Amino acid sequence: MRIGCGVDVHELVFGRPLILGGVRFEVDLGLAGHSDADVVCHALMDALLSAARLPDIGELFPDTDPAFEGASSIALLARVAKMVADAGFTVADCDITLCADAPKIAPHKREMRENLARALGVSPEHVGLKATTFEGLGFVGEKEGMAALATCLLAE
Ligand code: MG
């Protein structure tokens, strides 16, 4: 087995869509970024790439490359899953924590897990997802941004 972890942070701004786990939330604040800034997918991609000892998403999909402007991160996650498979690994399990004081993800959690699982080619049973608030503290609590942490287990 191989283990990997990934962390990502994006700023919350007006005038951007909020996309988390491939689901669009109809809210005023969205995440800023070169791609669609799906912080959940970004943390998970880095966990997978790290476990497979492949280059990280900053190297693979640089924010200086116009090809990735507005890119769908769930599509990039599927590309990463293919690279991990090509390197000889299968995704055994993964777990993600979204750090956000709003919005509540509970109504969309199932759809997010299904999107992530589809991109990975695994059952949703193998995609853990939860959110935590920062109780009003720090950049998450002040709604200046969101963070995500991901862990995955790959089988050789
Ligand atoms: Mg990112």
Side-chain angles (χ1 to χ4, degrees):
M1 298 293 246
R2 297 274 190 91
I3 195 165
C5 69
V7 177
D8 195 37
V9 171
H10 280 266
E11 185 186 6
L12 275 167
V13 294
F14 285 100
R16 285 273 302 181
L18 179 64
I19 297 167
L20 298 169
V23 173
R24 186 176 174 131
F25 288 71
E26 297 303 328
V27 289
D28 292 338
L29 291 170
L31 294 172
H34 187 64
S35 67
D36 67 7
D38 186 334
V39 70
V40 168
C41 286
H42 290 190
L44 182 54
M45 283 192 276
D46 262 348
L48 293 161
L49 291 165
S50 184
R53 318 300 183 237
L54 292 168
D56 66 25
I57 57 169
E59 291 174 72
L60 291 175
F61 312 123
D63 62 9
T64 49
D65 188 338
F68 303 115
E69 191 172 346
S72 159
S73 297
I74 205 88
L76 295 179
L77 177 62
R79 277 176 64 174
V80 164
K82 168 91 167 55
M83 293 172 67
V84 166
D86 288 347
F89 299 100
T90 56
V91 178
D93 207 57
C94 61
D95 188 48
I96 307 140
T97 303
L98 173 69
C99 303
D101 272 37
K104 294 284 178 215
I105 67 162
H108 303 284
K109 209 158 127 180
R110 182 175 168 174
E111 187 182 358
M112 292 166 74
R113 287 178 61 214
E114 286 172 353
N115 286 346
L116 296 167
R118 195 178 311 114
L120 295 176
V122 302
S123 156
E125 278 295 298
H126 293 296
V127 180
L129 176 66
K130 64 190 175 298
T132 188
T133 72
F134 274 25
E135 305 278 338
L137 298 170
F139 75 91
V140 171
E142 301 278 357
K143 299 187 182 69
E144 291 172 3
M146 290 184 181
L149 317 171
T151 306
C152 76
L153 205 55
L154 301 182
E156 287 188 76

